[in-house]
Amino acid sequence: MHAVRRLFTPGPVPVHPAVLEATAQQPLYHRHRAFAELLERVHTRLQMLFETSSPIAVLTCSATGAHEAVARMLHDRGSEAIVCVGGRFSHRWAQMLERFGACVHRVESAWGENIALDALERTLHAAPRARSLWIVHSETSTGVLARLEEILPLVRARAPEIIVCVDATSSLGIHPVRMDTAGIDVVIASSQKGVGGLPGLGLVAVSSRAQSAFLTQPETLYFDLRTALDSLKRATTPFTPAVTLLAALDAALELIEHEGLRRRWERYAHTASSIRECLLTSGYRLFGECSSNAVTVAYVPDHVPDLVERLDAEHGIVVARGQERFRDTLFRIGHCGWYRQEDLDALCHALATVAKRQ
Amino acid sequence: MHAVRRLFTPGPVPVHPAVLEATAQQPLYHRHRAFAELLERVHTRLQMLFETSSPIAVLTCSATGAHEAVARMLHDRGSEAIVCVGGRFSHRWAQMLERFGACVHRVESAWGENIALDALERTLHAAPRARSLWIVHSETSTGVLARLEEILPLVRARAPEIIVCVDATSSLGIHPVRMDTAGIDVVIASSQKGVGGLPGLGLVAVSSRAQSAFLTQPETLYFDLRTALDSLKRATTPFTPAVTLLAALDAALELIEHEGLRRRWERYAHTASSIRECLLTSGYRLFGECSSNAVTVAYVPDHVPDLVERLDAEHGIVVARGQERFRDTLFRIGHCGWYRQEDLDALCHALATVAKRQ
């Protein structure tokens, strides 16, 4: 087995050494002013990253937990939602809403393809009572980036009052999200992936319009975003947070601040295109639209069915399998983490070497 | 302000340097065998700590989230539960169950006092349809340790089928819990406090009887313990876990293994009694039963109303305030973390010095 292991997974991802250093400090007491200072700093930096003036709740959970919080605050039994479904994660959000007894209208697109605007338009027309619309920005199972700049104006024209929830879990820090100027009501993300922190914190930015739409008696205590946002005003959290992950998040956000958002987006665009170039040069075939700079999805070559295992065993390169029915036929290279040129070179070399095998 | 800050809070608590070192490693991919090995090792060590052969789900959330998971799996609208309420945390569990529409029968005891067995017996008689019974083992708001050895035989005699859920958040690692021999169905805890890891993971041990009582269609995706336990069989988790906190937990459990449970319990008993002795010698008055070795609750002296602020500003000692109506009249010293003798000496010196102030 290879001594060094490099993660090219869609999360968790490698992080900058400064993040590891920050997470290894003794934990703070979450009712102490030292924690209040940390949370306030993190919050200001998150608003820069989400490009919003809305408050951003920091929950101790994965992005799936953050989704559950939002869904729970907006939907009770019998309420209606529209979900754009084109991959594993968007499918999961639809399932989650149905768990709460909500009636879900799906706008289906094939895996690897973007949301069809005419299908979206028809659903908006057919479901005038829908309270919320759910869009996954970067679908980690397919590598497709939703074209928010086309989708959002259409939604606002047809359903001005609907609460638009965008899952930016694997796009935040990689692509512009622009919550305020795009007119998004809720943006959901996590502390890891493109944000550059460690997994364990769910991030939820909530516009005042979305807050007004919150249920007054949500059936949750842990995920009650009203109390989370109330506590945030006092620079604390309702329950004990993962304080050391917050310190890691702060260090990650400081790195983003230093680099600048535009330069960061450009850097990840460059990384994504260089990986795709390497794949094509080595004879791989890309899957679908391939428009997200967070993850690249490609076909497992017929002559190397054990590609994922070989990359790991022979080169210490960890990539992810395809999901659901594509488990054995696709593989996914996540590249929204912290990589040096030598890591990217090692990836490209490994991909080329393994593809040569007969 | 004091340069060194020592946390004597009921959580988060200081941890052993080996735990900080373990948490600062690059994250693992949760679908990789390296993670599977970590999770399996953690799980075996947790079974030793919970003294059970039942599976223990590791959730990315605080202990409050772990509670919500259990409550959600056992209760739907109109179902009945019994909650022993004698402090802030037990009160919170009752509120949580009511959020889900459950009908809660409270067995009330005064803050600082233990559960009255006759009141418990009356409630068990009056609520024969109750599905679950909730007991906080160590109530962090009052410093009272529930006498499980008296309570559990009574419960089993009067309500053999009821699902007994014990909150061991601040007792696990400090006092024996003995899930299997005591006949507890569900034990809830977290990765931090007496366990010695960092905050951010909820731990839920579930007997097979409790699993049989789970709702088949729980209204949660994130907290669905059935899928968590199914994933555990394959040594993974349904959603991205806080992988670096799991590495920290593993290191903390290794330390417990080395020390041995019995020696650990004795050490914390010694720490608790030496802190109480120091308080009494310095003229403080203890609150209530004072039977938990995780936290000591005492009265703020009338002549030092700003005790908490002074300990922090002048001695770098961070303790917690009283909770709810006792916010200004009580203070709480948490002592279930990792302390060297010099930390305990500094605490005692600070308590004595501040008490002398007029």
Side-chain angles (χ1 to χ4, degrees), chain B residues 29-30 32-41 234-236:
Chain B
Y29 179 45
H30 61 300
H32 194 277
R33 67 182 178 289
F35 177 79
E37 284 161 18
L38 170 67
L39 185 58
E40 278 172 349
R41 195 168 57 242
R234 289 171 281 117
T236 188

Side-chain angles (χ1 to χ4, degrees), chain B residues 297-313:
Chain B
V297 185
Y299 289 91
V300 172
D302 289 339
H303 67 287
V304 198
D306 56 348
L307 173 85
V308 174
E309 291 80 2
R310 282 194 177 179
L311 286 171
D312 185 10

Side-chain angles (χ1 to χ4, degrees), chain A residues 1 5 12-15 20 24 26-29 32-33 62 65 68 72 77 99 219-222 224 312 320, chain B residues 1 12-15 20 24 26-29 32-34 62 65 68 72 77 99 219-222 224 242 312 320:
Chain A
M1 208 179 71
R5 199 177 281 139
V13 297
V15 299
L20 295 181
Q26 286 288 354
L28 299 173
Y29 179 46
H32 194 277
R33 67 182 179 289
S62 79
E68 179 145 334
R72 178 63 76 193
R77 213 173 293 270
R99 282 273 177 120
E219 285 193 17
T220 178
L221 188 75
Y222 191 66
D224 188 339
D312 185 10
Chain B
M1 209 178 69
V13 297
V15 299
L20 296 180
Q26 285 287 355
L28 298 173
Y29 179 45
H32 194 277
R33 67 182 178 289
S62 79
E68 180 145 335
R72 178 63 77 194
R77 215 173 293 270
R99 282 273 177 121
E219 286 193 17
T220 178
L221 188 75
Y222 190 66
D224 188 337
D312 185 10

